[in-house]
Amino acid sequence: MPPTKSVLLRLDPSLASELQAVAAVEGRSVSDVAREAIRSLVEQRRRDPVFQRRLERTLDEQAEVLGKLRSEDR
């Protein structure tokens, strides 16, 4: 199994209960169901043109900020 990273996820009690119920009905762990949902969200964003435009804008902004941090002596 590849290495994993632990992430703390805070959910309101109602959503946590619903997530636990989905996992129980499917006979899976809450972690497995949450991973599937997150994976699905990421894939949706990869196909979403609006998100992709926002991603490009963010990348451009961050490149500019990171460029300003470069040492002048390079």
Side-chain angles (χ1 to χ4, degrees):
M1 173 185 268
T4 61
K5 180 174 182 165
S6 294
V7 176
L8 175 63
L9 181 63
R10 296 183 192 277
L11 302 174
D12 65 69
S14 170
L15 183 57
S17 293
E18 291 174 339
L19 178 60
Q20 289 171 329
V22 168
V25 168
E26 294 184 353
R28 299 167 59 198
S29 70
V30 169
S31 291
D32 282 343
V33 174
R35 275 190 292 273
E36 179 184 334
I38 293 166
R39 192 175 298 113
S40 177
L41 174 67
V42 170
E43 287 303 318
Q44 287 174 5
R45 294 303 188 263
R46 283 188 175 127
R47 293 186 303 272
D48 180 346
V50 173
F51 177 84
Q52 290 299 314
R53 285 192 299 274
R54 292 165 70 191
L55 173 62
E56 289 300 321
R57 186 171 53 245
T58 301
L59 288 171
D60 291 344
E61 291 167 358
Q62 292 302 313
E64 182 179 329
V65 170
L66 292 171
K68 290 178 182 178
L69 291 174
R70 278 194 177 149
S71 169
E72 297 287 330
D73 298 333
R74 293 183 95 213

